[in-house]
Amino acid sequence: MPEKLITEEKRVFMTGNEVCAWAAIAAGAQIMYGYPITPQNEIMHYWTRLAPKHGLKFLQTEDELSAGFTTCGGVMAGLKAFTATAGPGNVLMQEPFSMAEAMRLPIVSIIQQRGGPSTATVIYSQQEVSLTTFGGNGEGLRIVYSTATHQELFDYTIKAFQVSWKYRFPTFVLGDGYQAKMRESLTIYDPEQKGIKFEPATKYVGQPGTPGVDREPGHYRNTYNVEEELYEVLQGYFADYAKMAEEVAEYQAFDTEDADVVVLSHGVVSRGAKEAVEMLRKEGKKVGYFRPITLRPLPEKQLKELAAKAKKLVIVESAQGQFAKLIKDVIFGATCEIVPFFKPGVGITTDEIYAKVNEVL
Amino acid sequence: MSVVQPAMPKSWRPESKPHKFCPGCGHGLVLKALGEAIDELGIQDRVVFGCDIGCSLLSWDFFNVDSVQTHHGRTTPVMTGIKRANPDLITIAYMGDGGGYAIGSQHLVNAAARNERITVILALNCVYAMTGGQMAPTTLPGMKAETAPYGRDVELTGAPTQGPEMVAAIAGEGAYVARGTTANLRQLKGYIKKALQNQMDGKGFSFVEALSACPTNWRTNAEKTWAFVEKEMPKYFKVGEKKVPGAEQKEGQ
Ligand SMILES: Cc1ncc(C[n+]2csc(CCOP(=O)(O)OP(=O)(O)O)c2C)c(N)n1
Ligand code: SF4
């Protein structure tokens, strides 16, 4: 038996990418398929250092198309498989991610967003929101967690392996370059000791017995002969997705009850937003904080309530409205004013958010 | 009067027969050779069959084996992923010349270079068939296709891809590479069997190209179809084994 990676709760100080590799192992990931791209490289680096000690596997593929498709293959063979990428790599992986949607493959992917469009910067952005939530040639049947801290990178990477196998939709941990590269303290733990239950990985192919003799063969496809056939399959998928959405959607909020202005953000930006709202509240201003943790599916009910109550929603993001688009779509029809605060590809500080909210109060 | 039916390979799925290829198509013959090879090796319980987009996708439920139909050109990495995750399975990537030599060439090259323990079987019909007969990397010089209406000009478009020769040159020790033809099914089956045995032995990458017919897009009758497969194609694409583990390179047998 390979030694267990984490045997007791422990305070550690590490980079986000290192956190992801540890979390994947803690969650029972068995194989990683990957292709280098900054800022996610160290996930592979740590994985390849840790994996052999725990009987785990790794394959470096020729490109991201291949990394995505080999991950699909790994899952079909019945292993908890994952990959990680960023930016242009995320663009290439949309093709395999689409297949994962089509075949309901529980692949897990960690996305550490970098600047865009295209190669842009290797540092930071929140510009992979549209791509990660709706990037394929389909309806975006995915689960996307947007993390803000290293603790969340650890918790939600573990959760990604849990929910993907439970609901069979491709699942993403959407981090960013800041989270990937900076060091921060967090508590790591063995999920088992916390009572976290994982679905067993089951095989899509290679079950015991001879197909056609002892059992039905597993025939998986993503091509259909006629429109109606696809339509019917998709109706089932939509129903499953809607049912799952209520169980999976997560958010954080405070001081929204009596707020005239609510600051909406996600990911790392919400750290600054949180502080700014706390400062404004201390000054007696009616400001609230709301942050979806799942960008797909969104906590729709809560967002609608929010939009019905508040006078203004300040939407803050390091992109030119990708997150805002998701929100607007959900709250369609609400009469509250939307105040954009967009800084594509650059970080946003507490002071900037504080000043912006003060300006519109 | 009873009609004598030719026996189907055991590993074929009778429920999905008659198959969906056009009459006279080469795909059915390649899949027959593959089915018999699976039967004779007794591996139906271990095989995972992957097919591509292109006419090969019509084989998605062809066999009583677990099957995955994936995207245009991506069958090789999907089968690689399965094999890496569970080396006990025997994974077969089945594709056309467009899927293997154009859009999916980077995967073929890299799977060969890494000596992945998978088997790739590629049906070469000199065209992109499913999309209506456009020029493929393997369209013969002077041959007409929808996107080469005056015949392929190698000055403009290069010469036909020599797949097995390329794979043989880059694959490592232990790889098995051959080119067969639907005009000689017994030989083709032998190559496919060796290619599968090579994977079972864990020696290295194995690759079989099969010269195959597409009467629909060639717009040929039975006689002309056979003449093209038997006489024209082998002029450019030499049938034979290109790389055999532990043996001298053999050709033309
Ligand atoms: C990314 C992508 N590009 C293009 C297509 C359209 N397409 C479908 S089949 C095909 C050609 C297939 O030709 P080949 O691989 O030679 O197989 P054949 O049909 O000849 O058996 C193409 C280009 C596609 N499905 N996906
Ligand atoms: S179009 Fe050509 S390759 Fe496709 S099924 Fe018909 S004959 Fe076969």
Side-chain angles (χ1 to χ4, degrees):
Chain A
M1 269 288 275
E3 52 178 307
K4 214 167 184 171
L5 184 71
I6 306 164
T7 47
E8 58 188 26
E9 228 175 78
K10 209 163 49 182
R11 240 5 228 169
V12 293
F13 184 64
M14 49 171 82
T15 66
N17 281 337
E18 190 172 2
V19 170
C20 293
W22 281 66
I25 293 175
Q30 292 156 296
I31 188 164
M32 178 182 189
Y33 303 90
Y35 188 79
I37 188 166
T38 310
Q40 64 77 36
N41 291 318
E42 296 82 10
I43 299 178
M44 294 189 297
H45 300 175
Y46 290 114
W47 177 269
T48 48
R49 276 157 190 71
L50 292 167
K53 295 188 201 152
H54 302 273
L56 308 171
K57 301 190 207 187
F58 175 76
L59 173 66
Q60 180 169 329
T61 56
E62 60 272 22
D63 60 15
E64 286 87 352
L65 284 163
S66 187
F69 281 110
T70 46
T71 306
C72 291
V75 160
M76 298 194 87
L79 291 193
K80 295 200 168 158
F82 79 109
T83 186
T85 192
N90 193 5
V91 173
L92 288 178
M93 276 198 200
Q94 291 310 315
E95 195 188 317
F97 292 157
S98 247
M99 184 170 93
E101 271 184 56
M103 293 185 183
R104 303 287 300 267
L105 305 179
I107 65 169
V108 171
S109 185
I110 297 157
I111 311 289
Q112 301 287 29
Q113 299 164 94
R114 53 188 271 169
S118 199
T119 302
T121 66
V122 297
I123 306 157
Y124 164 78
S125 90
Q126 294 192 312
Q127 293 168 288
E128 295 177 48
V129 166
S130 299
L131 187 65
T132 309
T133 50
F134 285 102
N137 58 328
E139 312 299 332
L141 300 177
R142 300 144 175 231
I143 300 165
V144 181
Y145 292 108
S146 172
T147 54
T149 63
H150 282 26
Q151 188 65 57
E152 287 189 353
L153 270 183
F154 190 77
D155 297 346
Y156 286 103
T157 300
I158 288 171
K159 203 165 215 174
F161 284 96
Q162 222 188 343
V163 300
S164 62
W165 282 92
K166 183 163 180 199
Y167 300 105
R168 309 278 169 150
F169 289 106
T171 303
F172 299 83
V173 178
L174 188 65
D176 60 67
Y178 291 171
Q179 295 184 55
K181 299 282 187 180
M182 74 183 185
R183 252 174 230 284
E184 182 167 89
S185 50
L186 71 150
T187 304
I188 57 171
Y189 51 82
D190 170 15
E192 245 184 321
Q193 286 176 6
K194 290 232 173 200
I196 294 174
K197 296 254 182 311
F198 291 96
E199 294 284 316
T202 48
K203 291 175 175 168
Y204 287 65
V205 298
Q207 297 268 12
T210 302
V213 180
D214 313 309
R215 64 171 173 93
E216 274 298 296
H219 282 145
Y220 305 94
R221 57 169 172 163
N222 61 12
T223 310
Y224 296 91
N225 299 328
V226 292
E227 289 91 331
E228 289 75 10
E229 209 179 353
L230 172 65
Y231 180 82
E232 202 167 300
V233 169
L234 288 180
Q235 293 314 307
Y237 289 7
F238 298 146
D240 291 352
Y241 195 87
K243 187 153 162 274
M244 171 213 71
E246 283 171 27
E247 292 165 35
V248 165
E250 283 188 48
Y251 68 99
Q252 274 180 353
F254 60 84
D255 291 344
T256 54
E257 274 308 306
D258 62 339
D260 292 331
V261 176
V262 176
V263 180
L264 273 158
S265 58
H266 76 97
V268 142
V269 172
S270 47
R271 294 167 74 140
K274 185 172 177 215
E275 241 184 322
V277 172
E278 282 167 353
M279 281 160 67
L280 290 157
R281 267 287 160 178
K282 279 209 188 104
E283 295 167 12
K285 297 183 175 143
K286 288 190 167 178
V287 181
Y289 167 91
F290 191 94
R291 169 205 167 203
I293 294 172
T294 45
L295 297 185
R296 203 55 200 130
L298 277 170
E300 295 200 7
K301 198 174 111 228
Q302 291 79 9
L303 282 165
K304 284 195 177 101
E305 281 169 14
L306 202 66
K309 253 192 274 168
K311 293 198 184 92
K312 291 180 185 179
L313 300 183
V314 180
I315 304 186
V316 190
E317 62 176 303
S318 297
Q320 194 68 11
Q322 298 190 24
F323 172 59
K325 235 185 255 173
L326 296 179
I327 302 296
K328 285 186 216 165
D329 188 34
V330 167
I331 64 167
F332 179 74
T335 50
C336 63
E337 187 189 336
I338 287 181
V339 182
F341 187 42
F342 302 155
K343 295 189 79 180
V346 291
I348 304 175
T349 63
T350 306
D351 292 346
E352 287 172 301
I353 300 171
Y354 175 85
K356 183 73 191 178
V357 178
N358 251 333
E359 189 188 305
V360 301
L361 257 173
Chain B
M1 198 185 88
S2 67
V3 181
V4 181
Q5 293 278 3
M8 276 188 208
K10 252 187 31 240
S11 51
W12 275 21
R13 183 168 178 77
E15 291 90 326
S16 61
K17 305 296 169 295
H19 61 59
K20 307 168 189 101
F21 301 105
C22 311
C25 175
H27 276 295
L29 292 174
V30 182
L31 294 168
K32 181 166 185 198
L34 175 59
E36 287 176 358
I38 291 171
D39 289 355
E40 286 169 27
L41 292 167
I43 52 173
Q44 191 179 336
D45 57 338
R46 287 207 280 151
V47 161
V48 180
F49 174 79
C51 61
D52 210 71
I53 276 187
C55 291
S56 77
L57 88 80
L58 300 174
S59 66
W60 72 274
D61 60 352
F62 204 94
F63 294 101
N64 262 327
V65 304
D66 291 336
S67 311
V68 185
Q69 178 270 319
T70 176
H71 297 8
H72 194 32
R74 314 299 178 216
T75 312
T76 303
V78 173
M79 289 301 112
T80 298
I82 291 175
K83 184 73 184 185
R84 289 273 181 161
N86 184 355
D88 293 337
L89 297 175
I90 298 159
T91 61
I92 302 167
Y94 182 62
M95 64 196 69
D97 39 0
Y101 297 148
I103 187 167
S105 58
Q106 60 187 343
H107 306 313
L108 178 63
V109 165
N110 285 284
R114 286 194 304 261
N115 229 355
E116 294 290 349
R117 271 56 169 175
I118 65 171
T119 301
V120 176
I121 299 172
L122 185 148
L124 185 155
N125 55 19
C126 298
V127 286
Y128 282 70
M130 176 147 276
T131 41
Q134 298 86 359
M135 189 179 84
T138 49
T139 299
L140 299 181
M143 180 180 171
K144 284 186 183 159
E146 289 298 329
T147 48
Y150 306 110
R152 180 177 191 164
D153 179 352
V154 295
E155 280 298 311
L156 291 177
T157 62
T161 301
Q162 299 279 349
E165 287 75 3
M166 172 182 79
V167 172
I170 56 179
E173 264 302 300
Y176 175 84
V177 184
R179 178 186 285 122
T181 172
T182 49
N184 187 346
L185 269 191
R186 188 188 292 263
Q187 179 199 52
L188 178 63
K189 179 173 76 182
Y191 292 164
I192 290 176
K193 261 176 93 170
K194 281 199 192 171
L196 289 169
Q197 187 66 51
N198 204 50
Q199 179 180 169
M200 290 156 71
D201 296 343
K203 284 192 184 145
F205 190 65
S206 47
F207 181 68
V208 178
E209 183 190 86
L211 304 185
S212 176
C214 177
T216 304
N217 285 296
W218 296 351
R219 294 173 174 73
T220 46
N221 61 18
E223 198 185 343
K224 282 193 182 152
T225 300
W226 272 114
F228 196 79
V229 173
E230 281 187 308
K231 298 209 180 76
E232 293 308 312
M233 293 171 86
K235 282 189 198 159
Y236 295 90
F237 304 117
K238 302 275 182 260
V239 172
E241 292 182 312
K242 311 292 169 186
K243 197 176 175 98
V244 178
E248 290 291 309
Q249 199 165 300
K250 285 183 272 181
E251 225 171 77
Q253 41 156 256

